[in-house]
Amino acid sequence: LQAELLHAAHTARLAGLPRASAAAVSVVSGVRAARSGDPGHRLTDLAGALAAVLGVAHRLPHATGPDLGELRGTVRQPYRPDGSLRLYGLFSEPVLTATGYAGAVTWTADADGRLYTVSDVAPGGPDRATGAADRTVRIGDTALTHRELSRAGLAVSGATVSPTGRLGAGAGVRAVRASGAAWRADPLDRLWAVPAAEQVARALNGGQDLLFLEVTLAGTVREATGDCLLADCAGLPLRLATAHDDPALPCRDNLRLLAAAGGSRLRVVARLAPGPYPRALLLATEHPTDPGARVDLGLDRLQRADLPAGAVAPPARTVPTGDEAPLHLLRRRVHQAVPGGRRVLALAGNRPGDGTRLRRLGLATAGDLLDDLHAAAADRSRDPFGRLLPADTGRFARAWLAAAVYTDEVERALCAAAWGAAVNEAAPAAAPGAS
């Protein structure tokens, strides 16, 4: 299967379809991580990669105009001239992908609050992700490292910028070190002035998914994937989880130490994690005892001495989340099919009460999709002599893709409701691996 997918990826690239090619390679990388027991493997990520490649393959034959251009993708992002820029460092984060790339990305902002990134990503593993922060930034003649830039500033002339805000490093670009700014000083302070609901709406409508929040830490809460921080964000009970679970990165150790700083009010930078309740992946935070300093949680390592005096981590607790839509009844079948295929769902069968429960709680489409998924998995027709005919794999793939897309869209709607955000229903949620 891996060889067939890689062959398909190569064929897609030759046909001028880099997005489909990259999506297929992501699936192969996810399968390899699963088979090797890689600690960074997540079934959710693999399911998302599979949905991305099937979604592109399903839509391509019928696409025209701009939609076709989006589905084709680009091998390299185009860069446009952007004149002179005065940038202020925000934070740095490690990059560790399932496709075998690693490095660091430093986020900066200009005086108007627009975000720009400087990246150093190349083939590698966790060691490269941790070491990239101390590499010199690849832009102009500056000698700044990523770690230094995250706390300093940059003056750039002849800048070129990609559509996603990535700064180019062409021969005509000049950059020198400049003074930085604290998170609570202009111009960075205005990033935290935007209400959380507006930031979430921007992310769900296809914009930047970084959230700039001011929170009060309130201990830890237990989840199936591990403990995460519980915080109060303008009256919302917010869960802050680690951005990376790889043991080579300090993310989880830093989160455990922050749990002992209960009651601290901090500004944080997080990445939205869509779900039925407010949740985000913690990337950077103010220092617990030094408000003028900041901590990049994927690169810097907190020590016990950095915590307030007498800080003790409270035991993790389970927090009720209210009446949630039972979307897990459909999602778990979507996820089961990824490692086990059609036969797993055919053997598992459809529990009679699952579809009924979904319909009773207003998710009639989810109930229909669940029934169709199990029917497609179990469908094996016979010829006039009673012999089994080959399974209709196309029908099963379409049923699985429909269920996967539906769960993503419902989670997007539930996430918007949890944060009180207004989303554009006409704008589809960004598919994993769509870049």
Side-chain angles (χ1 to χ4, degrees), residues 91-412:
F91 72 100
S92 291
E93 64 171 321
V95 174
L96 192 58
T97 72
T99 53
Y101 287 84
V105 172
T106 299
W107 291 81
T108 65
D110 65 9
D112 296 324
R114 291 182 298 177
L115 300 181
Y116 299 84
T117 60
V118 181
S119 62
D120 180 4
V121 180
D127 291 341
R128 193 181 193 287
T130 56
D134 296 313
R135 294 176 182 268
T136 302
V137 170
R138 296 178 180 177
I139 180 170
D141 299 323
T142 177
L144 281 171
T145 66
H146 283 270
R147 194 185 303 273
E148 292 170 339
L149 176 58
S150 68
R151 293 160 175 81
L154 204 63
V156 186
S157 62
T160 57
V161 184
S162 77
T164 59
R166 180 177 176 180
L167 290 171
V173 179
R174 298 289 182 268
V176 296
R177 180 171 186 160
S179 58
W183 281 1
R184 294 183 180 271
D186 286 332
L188 299 184
D189 180 69
R190 67 187 63 183
L191 294 172
W192 279 265
V194 180
E198 290 185 22
Q199 298 186 53
V200 171
R202 176 191 62 205
L204 293 176
N205 288 328
Q208 183 54 249
D209 63 353
L210 289 187
L211 303 180
F212 300 89
L213 308 172
E214 191 154 356
V215 303
T216 301
L217 301 183
T220 56
V221 59
R222 182 166 289 113
E223 291 187 340
T225 56
D227 294 347
C228 65
L229 278 177
L230 184 65
D232 178 271
C233 178
L236 284 176
L238 171 65
R239 299 185 183 203
L240 296 170
T242 56
H244 295 277
D245 285 330
D246 194 291
L249 301 176
C251 301
R252 189 156 293 281
D253 292 339
N254 286 336
L255 187 137
R256 292 193 186 101
L257 281 175
L258 282 174
S264 299
R265 186 165 183 81
L266 303 171
R267 284 189 170 181
V268 303
V269 182
R271 180 168 283 115
L272 178 65
Y277 43 82
R279 192 170 186 272
L281 307 179
L282 194 56
L283 300 172
T285 178
E286 287 180 322
H287 195 281
T289 55
D290 183 3
R294 62 192 77 160
V295 181
D296 298 333
L297 295 173
L299 300 171
D300 303 327
R301 191 173 289 275
L302 284 170
Q303 304 295 330
R304 178 66 61 177
D306 295 321
L307 301 180
V312 178
R317 52 197 173 111
T318 302
V319 177
T321 57
D323 296 329
E324 295 180 19
L327 196 61
H328 64 276
L329 298 176
L330 179 61
R331 188 193 302 110
R332 70 182 179 187
R333 297 306 186 193
V334 170
H335 288 177
Q336 280 179 342
V338 176
R342 181 183 57 79
R343 293 180 181 85
V344 169
L345 294 190
L347 291 174
N350 188 5
R351 295 179 58 183
D354 288 353
T356 302
R357 183 181 176 192
L358 287 168
R359 294 183 184 90
R360 186 176 67 248
L361 295 177
L363 296 176
T365 302
D368 294 342
L369 289 171
L370 181 60
D371 292 342
D372 188 46
L373 183 60
H374 280 284
D379 182 23
R380 290 299 301 274
S381 302
R382 295 180 181 271
D383 64 14
F385 298 98
R387 294 171 298 192
L388 283 174
L389 295 174
D392 187 351
T393 54
R395 177 192 172 189
F396 178 69
R398 288 189 296 272
W400 183 89
L401 179 61
V405 170
Y406 174 85
T407 54
D408 286 344
E409 286 300 314
V410 173
E411 284 185 342
R412 176 174 175 264

